[in-house]
Amino acid sequence: LFMARTQKNKATSNHLGLLKARLAKMRRELITPKGGSGGGTGEGFDVAKTGDARIGFVGFPSVGKSTLLSNLAGVYSEVAAYEFTTLTTVPGVIRYKGAKIQLLDLPGIIEGAKDGKGRGRQVIAVARTCNLILIVLDVLKPLGHKKLIEHELEGFGIRLNKQPPNIGFKKKDKGGINFTVTCPQSELDGDAVKSILAEYKIHNADITLRSDSTADDLIDVVEGNRVYIPCIYVLNKIDQISIEELDIIYKVPHCVPISAHSRWNFDDLLEKMWDYLHLVRIYTKPKGQLPDYTSPVVLPTEHTAVEDFCLKIHKSLLKELKYALVWGASVKHNPQKVGKDHVMEDEDVIQLVKK
């Protein structure tokens, strides 16, 4: 309300930043209730993590999340013509390109979920642990829903299809606030940064802005509990619209139209899911045998060194490793001897040589 009333100009941007920080702080306190006796938690909501990646289906009640799960993974998740059929998380697993991917059918979320309505908090807490979020929308009323769901997830500290802001932030014991800028800023200046940090009672810190950042970016970095998750919008029930409308939908970014009921366009969806998960497959080769192309070891893109590969299999492997032989795109010679710091690429073949 305050923020809506305030005029936006250079003089007031400082004040707006302060209000934003105060709001973010209050939101966080809402999400994590302070101390007190931890009453009953209700039945468990989260599911054990299995497989190489985890995908959560988020959406309003009755948009076809459960139908989609049943048809993709062959797991029966109860489907009926009323809202809130799914009451807890239903897991399913699919194998795609050799990777095991866990799919979670979450209960529908409603407006106000981030404030705890309709078990919304637990739903979004599970969504935070996913590697990819599929927002399932009804094609007949997509845009309003999309905005609402994004708003609910953002309020809970989930940032969709974004990179973490390029801001260096380091708390210190003394020395005041040291503020450096490496490129011109359109919104933040020294005073604005100081006032936001003062709201968090931080008076000694190094702040480096390496990109043109907003007050919200700075607050995200200071809060430090934000997760950055890729997201695909799945428009369901396309069997109810015309071809011309479908052509328009195809042009929307991060978007896949499907029909869960008639199983249309699932291959497109799976392909896009694979792209957004950024997984790397590494094939293993026992000595003197052909590589095993049926069951790759799957690693996330940011951790694809030989060391990570060993740890994924068993942590004792690293101690016994002498060197590894690698075939594929990441090496100049086939095969090539590499150490534990060598970074591999998708579909490389590796053979470990022990001491």
Side-chain angles (χ1 to χ4, degrees):
L1 211 105
F2 256 135
M3 281 162 71
R5 270 195 212 152
T6 316
Q7 286 182 315
K8 281 190 180 57
N9 58 31
K10 276 185 188 149
T12 60
S13 67
N14 226 334
H15 174 64
L16 276 171
L18 230 147
L19 288 176
K20 275 180 186 164
R22 213 166 274 173
L23 200 64
K25 226 167 106 178
M26 286 171 177
R27 277 213 186 114
R28 190 191 54 206
E29 278 160 17
L30 257 175
I31 293 170
T32 50
K34 283 214 180 84
S37 59
T41 49
E43 68 262 40
F45 211 81
D46 200 2
V47 178
K49 216 168 183 169
T50 59
D52 301 304
R54 179 177 219 187
I55 300 181
F57 296 172
V58 177
F60 278 90
S62 295
V63 290
K65 298 187 291 298
S66 299
T67 314
L68 181 58
L69 179 80
S70 312
N71 285 344
L72 269 177
V75 180
Y76 181 66
S77 176
E78 199 174 332
V79 182
Y82 53 87
E83 307 201 325
F84 293 110
T85 322
T86 311
L87 292 172
T88 64
T89 315
V90 180
V93 175
I94 51 170
R95 288 194 76 100
Y96 187 65
K97 296 194 176 178
K100 262 188 172 162
I101 299 171
Q102 183 182 32
L103 303 175
L104 295 183
D105 175 22
L106 299 171
I109 59 175
I110 47 177
E111 203 176 342
K114 63 176 189 299
D115 313 321
K117 270 194 198 150
R119 310 237 7 221
R121 270 210 204 131
Q122 291 102 313
V123 178
I124 302 182
V126 176
R128 270 182 78 110
T129 64
C130 297
N131 305 91
L132 169 68
I133 289 179
L134 293 190
I135 292 187
V136 187
L137 301 166
D138 190 333
V139 76
L140 303 171
K141 41 189 175 185
L143 285 169
H145 277 186
K146 174 174 172 245
K147 287 221 168 53
L148 278 171
I149 291 176
E150 279 173 357
H151 184 69
E152 298 298 323
L153 295 177
E154 295 240 324
F156 215 78
I158 297 177
R159 301 281 174 268
L160 301 174
N161 289 331
K162 267 190 198 163
Q163 289 304 314
N166 200 347
I167 298 178
F169 170 67
K170 198 170 157 202
K171 278 191 201 173
K172 297 181 301 187
D173 294 342
K174 54 181 190 289
I177 285 177
N178 189 0
F179 175 65
T180 43
V181 177
T182 55
C183 63
Q185 296 292 322
S186 58
E187 190 176 317
L188 292 172
D189 55 4
D191 296 340
V193 169
K194 273 188 183 131
S195 64
I196 289 175
L197 290 177
E199 182 60 43
Y200 283 100
K201 301 191 172 59
I202 296 172
H203 301 296
N204 303 304
D206 289 338
I207 294 275
T208 320
L209 300 181
R210 301 193 194 88
S211 56
D212 188 0
S213 312
T214 62
D216 290 330
D217 289 342
L218 180 62
I219 291 168
D220 281 354
V221 170
V222 177
E223 283 268 356
N225 61 356
R226 305 292 189 243
V227 284
Y228 296 85
I229 304 179
C231 162
I232 299 175
Y233 303 105
V234 180
L235 287 173
N236 191 10
K237 309 189 181 175
I238 54 167
D239 41 338
Q240 300 174 7
I241 59 166
S242 65
I243 304 264
E244 292 79 35
E245 288 171 300
L246 200 55
D247 284 344
I248 299 167
I249 290 169
Y250 251 107
K251 298 189 174 80
V252 182
H254 309 302
C255 194
V256 183
I258 62 153
S259 166
H261 190 66
S262 323
R263 301 186 180 221
W264 293 347
N265 210 9
F266 275 9
D267 41 2
D268 214 13
L269 177 64
L270 286 167
E271 194 53 50
K272 197 140 188 163
M273 279 175 3
W274 181 260
D275 285 350
Y276 278 62
L277 282 170
H278 300 298
L279 295 174
V280 170
R281 291 160 291 174
I282 308 291
Y283 300 112
T284 53
K285 176 186 181 309
K287 194 171 177 188
Q289 293 173 24
L290 287 171
D292 175 15
Y293 287 120
T294 51
S295 49
V297 174
V298 180
L299 302 169
T301 308
E302 54 272 14
H303 302 293
T304 57
V306 175
E307 185 175 5
D308 301 308
F309 171 82
C310 295
L311 288 173
K312 170 98 184 191
I313 295 169
H314 198 276
K315 51 181 180 282
S316 66
L317 254 178
L318 210 57
K319 296 191 185 86
E320 302 171 0
L321 180 71
K322 190 172 175 187
Y323 61 87
L325 292 172
V326 174
W327 291 256
S330 65
V331 288
K332 287 199 181 94
H333 314 291
N334 282 333
Q336 182 172 326
K337 259 191 199 183
V338 296
K340 69 174 174 35
D341 297 330
H342 173 77
V343 175
M344 296 180 285
E345 289 180 29
D346 194 21
E347 304 210 65
D348 279 5
V349 174
I350 187 173
Q351 175 186 335
L352 301 178
V353 180
K354 292 184 181 177
K355 286 176 181 155

